Amino acid sequence: MDTKKLATFYNLAQTKNYSKTAEEIFLTQATVSKHIMALEKEWGIKLFSRKHRKVTLTQEALNVLPDVREILDKEQQLKQKIDALKNNPKGTLVVKGIPSISQYSAFDTITQFTKQYPEINF
């Protein structure tokens, strides 16, 4: 199951308009249609009723919509967690110096660094 298709389905359920959904999620109208058809084929249920240029959700779509929202929310939470992990430095930092390093303010800088980044082994 492709979460991009789920996002397309969820957006179309909100807008009930293929053109508006395509515009909002930066896809073509044909791609939106393909995503919906692919989900309908994969799930074996009809998601939308299309009559006279009017789009309405089927009862099956209404039944799965909360679960789709939950999956999309979980995906967003996972992305945020991964971003936090990428931006959270961990590891070991090795600094080599000369014997006269004590004459400089390096120790103050090192102390500040270790306080600011306690997860890094210095």
Side-chain angles (χ1 to χ4, degrees), residues 5-6 9-10 18 20 29 42 53 58 62 71 74 79-80 83-84 92 99 101 106 119:
K5 291 177 184 160
L6 294 179
F9 164 61
Y10 190 80
Y18 279 77
K20 189 169 184 173
Q29 199 171 339
E42 181 180 345
R53 302 186 123 192
T58 64
L62 291 169
I71 290 169
K74 288 289 186 186
K79 285 179 180 178
Q80 289 172 349
D83 286 343
T92 301
I101 197 169
E119 68 279 357

Side-chain angles (χ1 to χ4, degrees), residues 55-67:
V55 177
T56 56
L57 280 82
T58 64
Q59 187 59 47
E60 292 86 353
L62 291 169
N63 288 340
V64 299
L65 195 59
D67 297 316

Side-chain angles (χ1 to χ4, degrees), residues 13 20 27 102 105:
K20 189 169 184 173
L27 296 174
S102 61
S105 63

Side-chain angles (χ1 to χ4, degrees), residues 23-62:
E23 185 180 315
E24 286 183 6
I25 60 177
F26 307 105
L27 296 174
T28 65
Q29 199 171 339
T31 302
V32 171
S33 293
K34 287 178 185 177
H35 283 187
I36 299 305
M37 287 188 296
L39 285 175
E40 289 177 334
K41 183 177 180 182
E42 181 180 345
W43 293 347
I45 60 174
K46 189 170 178 160
L47 297 172
F48 295 95
S49 176
R50 303 157 192 95
K51 292 182 184 173
H52 308 293
R53 302 186 123 192
K54 186 175 181 178
V55 177
T56 56
L57 280 82
T58 64
Q59 187 59 47
E60 292 86 353
L62 291 169

Side-chain angles (χ1 to χ4, degrees), residues 63-101:
N63 288 340
V64 299
L65 195 59
D67 297 316
V68 169
R69 178 73 254 160
E70 187 177 336
I71 290 169
L72 294 173
D73 288 343
K74 288 289 186 186
E75 179 189 34
Q76 186 61 35
Q77 289 171 10
L78 178 60
K79 285 179 180 178
Q80 289 172 349
K81 188 179 280 190
I82 289 169
D83 286 343
L85 290 171
K86 285 194 302 190
N87 295 325
N88 188 4
K90 290 186 183 205
T92 301
L93 177 63
V94 177
V95 176
K96 295 184 179 185
I98 56 175
S100 61
I101 197 169

